């Protein structure tokens, strides 16, 4: 089971779009997949077609150990993958976790009991470096960082990288940055292509080959509760996320060969 956190403390950079579409694309490629929504906004939950307002239990109850993962997970009505959903309740977890033992490890512990259930677990982190994101980073083997190719893209990246380094040093020796994913890419925009080339120069192999274009079908899909990759399979954005799933599967297979 490979666990990846999708993180960037900036909002609106494509974390949730990446989490939902990669989960659906992995599932469509035959991978047993769980998507964990760690954002109180519950956008990933809704984007998969799960109604966040009518949940009996959610990731909140799992973090506080009031429910098990088996009780709280639901099957996405739109694709063949599971979702550990979130809603506003989760906003309270931040405060309620503070005094609890092993507060950063709650998600890790919950997932450990389900090693055999999944090939991939994707964690959609909130736009902050909070206790929730910390739970995501402590549970994960790797981080996928979606980025827009704009002038300020690198600003703030150092905060995230420092946080990942600290978590690696103190809490989770397994954690590494898997890669930067360029999203909302516009090949007609010179700045976009320049920043993209700079990222490749600077970060080399840490930049995924797949480029996700700006594509309106990806932005429309959530309002139908269907991942973009299933909503309009022919759209450029959908095809990019299908290609990204193949790239991820190839990566984890290459790790296996190294062992
Ligand atoms: P985050 O989770 O980082 O806050 P989202 O995934 O919610 O970011 O994306 C922010 C907004 O941008 C959403 O309205 C989403 O539909 C839109 N969006 C994300 N990726 C793309 C894309 N490749 N093309 C067009 N719109 C996109
Ligand atoms: Mg989001």
């Amino acid at each position: 089971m490979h666990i990846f956190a999708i993180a960037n403390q900036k909002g609106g950079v494509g974390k949730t779009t990446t989490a939902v579409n990669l989960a659906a694309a992995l599932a469509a490629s035959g991978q047993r997949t769980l998507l964990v929504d760690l954002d109180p906004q519950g956008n990933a939950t809704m984007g998969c077609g799960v109604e966040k307002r009518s949940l009996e239990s959610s990731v909140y109850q799992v973090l506080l150990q009031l429910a098990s993962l088996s009780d709280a997970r639901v099957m996405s009505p739109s694709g063949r993958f599971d979702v550990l959903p979130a809603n506003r309740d989760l906003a309270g977890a931040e405060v309620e976790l503070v005094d609890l033992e092993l507060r950063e490890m709650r998600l890790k512990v919950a997932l450990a009991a389900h090693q055999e259930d999944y090939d991939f677990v994707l964690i959609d982190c909130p736009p902050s470096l909070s206790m929730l994101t910390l739970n995501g980073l402590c549970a994960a083997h790797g981080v996928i960082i979606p980025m827009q190719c704009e002038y300020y893209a690198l600003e703030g990246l150092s905060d995230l990288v420092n946080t990942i380094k600290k978590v690696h040093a103190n809490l989770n020796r397994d954690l590494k940055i898997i890669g930067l994913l360029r999203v909302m890419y516009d090949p007609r925009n010179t700045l976009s292509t320049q920043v993209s080339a700079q990222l490749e120069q600077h970060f080399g192999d840490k930049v995924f080959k797949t480029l996700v274009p700006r594509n309106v079908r990806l932005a429309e899909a959530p309002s139908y509760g269907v991942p973009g990759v299933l909503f309009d399979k022919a759209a450029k954005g959908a095809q990019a996320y299908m290609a990204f799933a193949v790239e991820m599967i190839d990566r984890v297979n290459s790790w296996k060969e190294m062992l």
Side-chain angles (χ1 to χ4, degrees), residues 55-153:
L55 299 172
E56 249 171 60
S57 48
S58 67
V59 67
Y60 168 79
Q61 278 82 6
V62 172
L63 292 176
L64 289 174
Q65 293 173 352
L66 304 170
S68 68
L69 176 63
S70 328
D71 291 333
R73 68 184 165 191
V74 289
M75 170 93 122
S76 162
S78 56
R80 292 190 319 279
F81 59 98
D82 284 348
V83 183
L84 178 55
N87 58 24
R88 296 288 316 160
D89 290 349
L90 188 57
E94 198 73 43
V95 180
E96 288 161 53
L97 281 171
V98 167
D99 293 328
L100 302 182
E101 231 173 284
L102 292 175
R103 56 194 176 175
E104 307 93 351
M105 300 295 177
R106 294 298 178 111
L107 183 60
K108 183 189 172 85
V109 168
L111 291 174
H114 292 268
Q115 286 277 4
E116 305 304 322
D117 293 6
Y118 302 106
D119 301 308
F120 286 90
V121 176
L122 302 179
I123 305 168
D124 184 26
C125 292
S128 62
L129 297 173
S130 61
M131 184 55 67
L132 291 171
T133 297
L134 213 49
N135 261 274
L137 296 178
C138 286
H141 304 123
V143 189
I144 296 169
I145 307 174
M147 305 188 58
Q148 276 176 264
C149 294
E150 56 180 31
Y151 188 66
Y152 292 112

Side-chain angles (χ1 to χ4, degrees), residues 11-32:
V13 294
K15 289 182 292 297
T16 298
T17 305
T18 297
V20 168
N21 283 289
L22 181 57
L26 287 168
S29 309
Q31 305 294 315
R32 296 168 306 152

